[in-house]
Amino acid sequence: MNQLTRRQFIGSATAGLAGILAFRVPPAIAQKREVTMLGWSHFVPESDAKLKQLLEKFAREVNVGARSDHVPNVQLATKQAAEVQTKAGHDLMMFYNEQTWRYRDHLVDLDDVVGELNKKYGTDIYPFCKEAFFINGHWKALESIWPAIPGNYLQSKFRQVGEGPPDTWADVLRAGKKLKKIGHPVGIQISHCIDAHTTFWSIAWCFGAKVLEADGKTIAINSPKMAEVIEYYKELYSDAMEPEVLSWDDAGNNRCLNAGRCAWIHNPVSPYAVAIDKKLPIADDINHHSTPAGPAGRFFAPNARGYGIWKFSKNVELAKDLLRFLFREDNLREWIQAGNGFNHPMWRYWEKHPVWNTDPKLRLLPAEGVFGRMRGWPASPSDVIGVIDDLYILPDMVAKAIGGMSTKDAMAWGTDQVKRILATMR
Amino acid sequence: MSLASNPTPKSREGSLLLPAVRLTVWRELGQVLQREHVMGYLLVLPAVLLLVGLVAYPFIIALWLSLTDAYVGRGGDFIGLRNFLTLFMEDDIFRQTLRNSILFTTSAVAIKTVLGLSLALLLAQNLRLKRLIRGAVLLPWVIPTALSTLGWLWMFDSLYSVINWTLLRLGVIDKGLQWLGTPHLAMIAVITVNVWRGLPFYAITLLAGLMSINPELYEAAESDGADAWARFRYITLPLLRPVLAVVILFSTILTFADFNIVYVLTRGGPVNSTHLFATFAYQAGLQAGKIGEGSAIALFMFPVLAVIVYLQLHYARREI
């Protein structure tokens, strides 16, 4: 057998590399296509495990590679920015809330995929999902998760203070005052995290307050209704919560409930799902009730998440096939089940899924959809709303008032910040 | 019969001449390389290319972006210095970030200087297990910052804080402190972690400086009756000053531009009370997508750091 000399090796390798660079075609041995997706690290880890299984199944059926990467929720925005700036990265990307609007020009239209799925699941779609992902007449992402955000509470603690599950935010405050006295406060983040916005928008709408008018340009923070919201937060913070809520991340309230310390949080059902999964005794004590109402009605701000396909992807059709596969009835049923009540697709068709009909503690969740609104409402989702959220203006406004700033000054501060955002956004 | 198999006298002559030509080329190349200025430039070239590619190019791009209203995924229009002016004149989160950065940097660098020098003096003694101790001191510097800060996150956690547990058991406090939920405690927390992280750099570098001081100077001072403080004041400190200047210079730059510690512990909160330039630039530029404004925030660090570098290098050069 002839031995390869060093000179021959370097010559062949250089020629091969030059060929690959010149023709931009890798050798046949490396040509197996791979479709990739990037999403969050799910609060219910079983859901990500099921996604991995489904991708393996897809890879076998289509004879391609399929991979899903996961990053913590707060890092998704950074990854999206990096991928779109470099025009490189994953084929599919998870977007939530206003992010689809932000990247609308860089996303492939999914009208054909949604059209096919609508034939199966119908066109009865939750309005806030359509608002988030149907942009300028085109579907830009396919919604995979909108978690309802009910009240999560410890039944034993509420019984201990002689309270039932709260129906309104006033009930939360009343019960919270008693609960804090027995060492089991209410827990709502007022910090730099997504849950802090979620609950702020929910409370604001329930009190009839707005951040922007429906035109998306007129600032509406400075109002008696918003003053009521801030005053409510101040009372809740001092009489029913502990200062820890100012430091929490998105999982802070989950940990507090599952540790048996907090008696009430406003959150998707992930604490319960995790407690069941890890066989924590607290699972028996946790229950859920409808998101609280206020003087202006019952509303909440779901984090609607979906997958979109980058225009720069080299596997657009394959990525669409993957979406078709993941949303195929048998696969979607399994994926929803794995989320243990957390994963709710945008079609009301799925309200009949057994996950919400076997466990009485989850039965209320599908009906919550009617209370959901996209952040910014009554304004439509927009880049401006996204920046308001990403700069944490609203929780900071509340935190300033809690920290001693007058309600009037806090609203003036919030107004100034939003004014600046509007002025600097094209 | 082919020409190749029956070379003409001319081609035979050419093939005989070829090695000689090659030899001449190599010899001339060798002579060129022996010129100091040519070799010098050649040796510096890889570093220059790296600096241009990894520092100068991104810096110029950032400079350009800071002068535009670029939003992520979209090009921006040139707006001159508007980003800088509006940040400075109108954005109170930015002004708070500026104050935070100054407080964070000055406090952390001052504490690290005092503790680092003390630690270096201690390590310079003939202790038992000297090598083991010196190695152990380096651990906070060796562990990846994001990882070690996660450990600190748990130590400051509102539910599971081991610091609170200890203080409660010792009777120092009667209720757990909200380390990361109270503005001034959160600042103390991030400074503490920065000091913990940066101390080994000070200690080991100053130790190297201490080791280079001639022991005869101390012996002479001792025989003249100088006590420990006098020896430190008149021998150690003056001779250590150039090393100290360089260490403080590096530490100031690294502390001013810190990101990991604040991002992992507080994400700039509560109420922006721990935001530094790097974390605020990240939040505005990458999270919120305002790339132009984010670049402007990041570039605000540049003139401050440039002045610090100039002053300290000027001082160090004078001392050396």
Side-chain angles (χ1 to χ4, degrees), chain A residues 16-266:
Chain A
L17 193 62
I20 291 169
L21 290 173
F23 296 105
R24 294 177 175 271
V25 178
I29 198 167
Q31 271 186 1
K32 189 172 182 185
R33 293 168 74 198
E34 185 184 48
V35 61
T36 57
M37 56 201 298
L38 181 70
W40 68 331
S41 297
H42 203 295
F43 284 117
V44 185
E46 271 301 300
S47 178
D48 284 346
K50 175 54 70 181
L51 177 61
K52 191 174 174 228
Q53 278 178 20
L54 291 172
L55 289 179
E56 284 165 1
K57 190 173 158 191
F58 176 75
R60 281 195 303 275
E61 279 186 17
V62 189
N63 192 28
V64 293
R67 192 183 85 230
S68 179
D69 297 321
H70 301 269
V71 293
N73 200 28
V74 290
Q75 284 178 23
L76 261 184
T78 315
K79 296 287 180 190
Q80 291 158 0
E83 294 201 2
V84 84
Q85 286 296 112
T86 55
K87 301 267 186 292
H90 298 79
D91 301 301
L92 294 120
M93 172 65 77
M94 176 183 268
F95 299 97
Y96 59 89
N97 304 333
E98 309 80 16
Q99 290 173 341
T100 323
W101 280 74
R102 179 177 291 173
Y103 295 108
R104 59 191 179 272
D105 297 337
H106 299 274
L107 294 172
V108 170
D109 292 346
L110 297 177
D111 301 345
D112 48 350
V113 179
V114 177
E116 290 163 29
L117 292 168
N118 282 352
K119 281 180 193 158
K120 176 75 189 163
Y121 305 137
T123 52
D124 194 359
I125 290 169
Y126 297 102
F128 60 87
C129 292
K130 192 166 181 181
E131 223 181 341
F133 303 120
F134 187 69
I135 301 170
N136 301 332
H138 298 286
W139 287 97
K140 290 291 181 180
L142 188 48
E143 197 269 350
S144 60
I145 298 169
W146 72 263
I149 307 196
N152 297 228
Y153 70 105
L154 298 183
Q155 300 171 94
S156 62
K157 306 301 173 207
F158 272 71
R159 273 199 300 270
Q160 198 178 332
V161 296
E163 289 281 348
D167 184 52
T168 65
W169 286 106
D171 294 343
V172 172
L173 178 62
R174 191 188 59 250
K177 286 178 179 177
K178 296 178 189 172
L179 289 161
K180 185 177 176 180
K181 283 183 185 152
I182 61 162
H184 296 282
V186 164
I188 292 174
Q189 288 100 327
I190 308 174
S191 56
H192 286 188
C193 69
I194 295 164
D195 281 7
H197 307 134
T198 302
T199 303
F200 177 87
W201 285 111
S202 308
I203 296 178
W205 294 331
C206 292
F207 278 80
K210 294 175 278 190
V211 174
L212 291 173
E213 296 291 354
D215 63 9
K217 293 172 187 163
T218 311
I219 304 171
I221 290 179
N222 210 342
S223 70
K225 302 281 185 197
M226 190 61 83
E228 278 182 48
V229 172
I230 294 176
E231 288 299 327
Y232 175 81
Y233 258 107
K234 280 160 84 170
E235 200 176 345
L236 192 72
Y237 175 80
S238 64
D239 298 346
M241 299 205 285
E242 292 288 352
E244 60 197 307
V245 298
L246 296 170
S247 68
W248 277 350
D249 58 13
D250 284 317
N253 56 350
N254 298 35
R255 286 197 298 267
C256 195
L257 189 79
N258 278 356
R261 186 170 134 76
C262 284
W264 189 92
I265 64 171
H266 190 231

Side-chain angles (χ1 to χ4, degrees), chain A residues 78 85 102 106 261 396 413, chain B residues 73 75 92 159 272 282 287:
Chain A
T78 315
Q85 286 296 112
R102 179 177 291 173
H106 299 274
R261 186 170 134 76
D396 278 355
W413 179 87
Chain B
D92 76 328
L159 283 174
N272 305 304
Y282 176 86
Q287 261 178 246

Side-chain angles (χ1 to χ4, degrees), chain B residues 14 26 31 41 65 73 84 88 108 125-129 138 158 170 172 176-177 181 192 196 217 233 250 258 269 287:
Chain B
W26 280 112
Q31 282 168 354
Y41 282 121
L65 286 171
F84 293 92
F88 198 74
Q125 306 301 313
N126 259 332
L127 301 169
R128 289 173 70 185
L129 303 173
L138 270 178
S158 58
L170 291 172
V172 178
L177 297 173
T192 304
W196 173 83
L217 293 172
R233 170 78 180 80
F250 276 111
D258 203 345
Q287 261 178 246

Side-chain angles (χ1 to χ4, degrees), chain B residues 275-294:
Chain B
H275 254 320
L276 304 179
F277 282 116
T279 51
F280 187 41
Y282 176 86
Q283 185 179 292
L286 289 173
Q287 261 178 246
K290 298 171 82 179
I291 291 194
E293 194 173 296

